[in-house]
Amino acid sequence: MSKNSIATRFLRGWKRLHMNQVLVLSVSTAVLAFLSFFHVYSEGADISALNDDMAQSTVIYDANGEVASKISALKNEGIKIEDVPDHVKNAVIAIEDHRFYEHDGVDLVGISRAFVQNVKAGSIVEGGSTITQQLTKNALLSSEKTYKRKLEEFFMAREIEKQYSKDEIMQMYLNRIYFGNGSWGIKRAAMGYFGKDVKDLSISEAAMLAGLIKAPSALDPNKNYEEAVERRNLVLQMMNTNGFIKEEQYKQAVAEKIVLNEKGGDPLRGRYPYYVDHVIDEAIKKYGLTQEEILTGGLQIYTELDVTMQSAVEATYAKDDLFPKGTDKQIVQSGAVLVDPKSGGIRALVGGRGEHVFRGYNRATQLKAQPGSTMKPLAAFAPALEEGRGITDMLKDEEMEFKNYKPQNYNDKYKGEVPMYEALRDSLNVPAVWLLDEIGIVKGMESVKNFGIKLDPKNDRNLGLALGGLSTGVSPVTMAEAYSAFANDGERYETHAITKIVDKEGNAIVEYKGKKSKAVSKETAEKMTTMLLGVVQEGTGKGAQIPGRELAGKTGSTQVPIEGVKGTKDQWFVGYTPQLVGAVWVGYDKTDKEHYLTTTSSEGAALIFKDFMSEALKNTKAQSFNVPPLSKYIEEHKRKQRAKSVKELEERVKREAEKLKKQWEEAKKKLKEEAKKKEKKETNTESAAATNSGSTNDTSDENATGGSNATGDEGNTGGEENTGDEGNTGGDENTGGEGDTGGEGDTGGEGDTGGEGDTGGEGDTGGEGDTGGEGDTGGEGDTGGEGDTGGTGESEDDGSDDKEKEDGSNN
């Protein structure tokens, strides 16, 4: 080969080498420039969004401090890394990035190993992405598969490692990674698959969740159980290999049978929806929180909820047969609430029937319906007792009109008057209105306000208030709060659900401070309880009776306000035991000619109340109100009535006696007047007779007839102007008593014999030695009186005639 050929070939080789070097240099320069660009880009990248991983569900606690329900608007929930057990973290690290604590965000060793494994397999069987890179991809980048995104992931992972610790990165990763079946983050995954909190996961369960990260859908144990278990076992093997668990732990975990949460999701999420709705409303309206803060702030809200009572009410509302049948257009709706009278705490609450809508219409708290007769105790009877009226006081019960208002009893029957307890027991309308009219509408309105019910000063100022005729209406929670005063010695606490709210940092931002006020006196509260016990025991509330428990309460109904339609629009029952107050409303959301109730509260609302109240109290001991029974007041009333009757009889007898005495005095006065007239007349007659007879020398002997002005002694002829005593001659012109001689001018008793020395009666024989009566002859062989001489030339008849004119024995 010539020298020229060698030289030519060398020159060509050198040129090729030079060109390759230039190419390599150019490529290297371009690569470095490209990498430098992304390095600078990554340093300026905003990774602050990673801090948003701690959004958490708001947790609702019951009255005992136990978790009762959860609410959230987030797809994932955060958990602090210190609350994650080591075996849960290690399970993820073992299968996803076992050198996590050694690299700085990008594991070059892992990438090389993955490259070799993929070349040997002829396909991609292993990835080289670290946990930090996966976090970058899920939190900050799109899911597109391009070199640009891969480079961004590479450099941003390095930047994340500079700004955050390994524990912070692990926390962000576990809170954001998708575990399938709608579960974002380890917290929801643990609850969704196993119904557990993260802290309660076993090694085997943690390994299964870690295994899902690679292919969440394909390895879902609910769908592909065997594949999920196989993947779990691989994770356990990696944990053992990398020293995260010991051999014995590995064997136990592999042998452990997986028990899945069949219902799926958090069993506490969405529980007690109507109560939770009210908690949210109270937090917003009363404490100024926003819905977003409540749903995403990870708050801890402590409440007055009693889960046993809440479950009892919800169970009742699931029994369709307890409620009246509705139509295809509307179902019969209802709302109920239970309240602790000693604190005002809402123990249970259900706001409707049928499908629940988040923060929808809550009939337990948002209803505005007329309360009917449940208003009577508040507007009429309680204020009347406060005024000093009694349980047995009589109230008018008759058809009457008050200006332009004419109430009627439900059955259009009236008794004239009834005692107060009976008017309440039988829910009579007219007596309640009459009583409110008697005490005054102002006092009635003040009483209603004291029970916590708001009134319109103008539109509610009428006697219809006694029957629940309000311009706005009330809800079950309002009525329960009002009646709680009767169960709490007259004191009313403000009803509330929330007792405390704590933020995610553990700071108390809300704390309820009890508010109470005086509704009525303790004495009035006890008397109202006595009467309301009677309503349940013997009156319209019989349907609410709970065997073995003292229950006081009142029914209420309103009429359909449509002309020509006779039915019920609203049904109510409000009742209480010493430890719990309840209220229930039943009706249609919209009443029309096709939608109204055909039963009364005693047949509807009272039975519903009984069903949930008896269950709500089943684990509590029965208590007594310790108030006097109604029978005591009734017996006292009867005693008063008997005493009143006796007094009235005594007064009547006294009046009659006084009347007779007055009549007797008037008769005596008249007799005296008549006697004076007679005396005057007889005196004139005697004077004339003496003048005409000329017998001035005659003297009457001791057996002669008594002269004028003589006083009649016993057995003698009564003198003129005198009243005959017992057995004596009767008064002037009167008939003598039986067996007596008539007075002057009077006739002796029929068939009687004159007394000794007396003048005989008409047609009778004179007594021995006496002068015979008119037309009669003296006794046989008798002459004038002893020692007396008859008048000269005068016969017996003449003497007798003179005597007759004096003593008045004959007419």
Side-chain angles (χ1 to χ4, degrees), residues 278 313 317 333-340 344 346 348-352 361-371 374 378 451-453 473-484 495 570-575 581-587 605 608-609 612:
H278 179 65
V313 181
Y317 275 70
Q333 274 296 351
S334 183
V337 65
L338 293 175
V339 173
D340 181 352
I346 298 174
L349 180 156
V350 170
Y361 184 38
N362 194 327
R363 295 163 191 84
T365 59
Q366 298 171 344
L367 180 75
K368 298 295 180 184
Q370 303 300 312
T374 58
L378 313 179
F451 282 104
I453 298 175
V474 293
S475 65
V477 72
T478 301
M479 294 306 293
E481 179 179 324
Y483 273 64
S484 68
T495 52
D570 307 288
Q571 287 184 2
W572 287 88
F573 188 84
V574 186
V581 184
V584 58
W585 167 86
V586 181
I608 294 168
F609 178 92
F612 65 70

Side-chain angles (χ1 to χ4, degrees), residues 230-243:
E230 184 178 343
R231 178 70 177 175
R232 177 204 66 174
N233 293 341
L234 175 61
V235 174
L236 291 171
Q237 182 181 338
M238 294 297 293
M239 292 178 72
N240 185 26
T241 300
N242 288 285

Side-chain angles (χ1 to χ4, degrees), residues 399 407-415 429 559 566:
E399 288 189 87
Q408 293 178 307
N409 288 341
Y410 180 77
N411 57 6
D412 286 330
K413 294 181 180 179
Y414 306 89
K415 299 180 180 180
N429 292 334
Q559 295 180 350
K566 188 174 182 180

Side-chain angles (χ1 to χ4, degrees), residues 409-473:
N409 288 341
Y410 180 77
N411 57 6
D412 286 330
K413 294 181 180 179
Y414 306 89
K415 299 180 180 180
E417 65 174 8
V418 292
M420 184 187 292
Y421 71 83
E422 186 176 324
L424 183 60
R425 182 194 69 193
D426 297 337
S427 199
L428 303 178
N429 292 334
V430 173
V433 176
W434 176 84
L435 185 59
L436 177 57
D437 186 55
E438 286 289 301
I439 64 174
I441 185 64
V442 172
K443 289 185 178 179
M445 292 179 71
E446 288 177 353
S447 175
V448 172
K449 291 176 184 176
N450 289 338
F451 282 104
I453 298 175
K454 296 180 180 179
L455 297 177
D456 186 304
K458 182 179 179 180
N459 296 325
D460 290 330
R461 189 186 177 90
N462 59 76
L463 295 178
L465 177 67
L467 307 183
L470 304 181
S471 57
T472 301

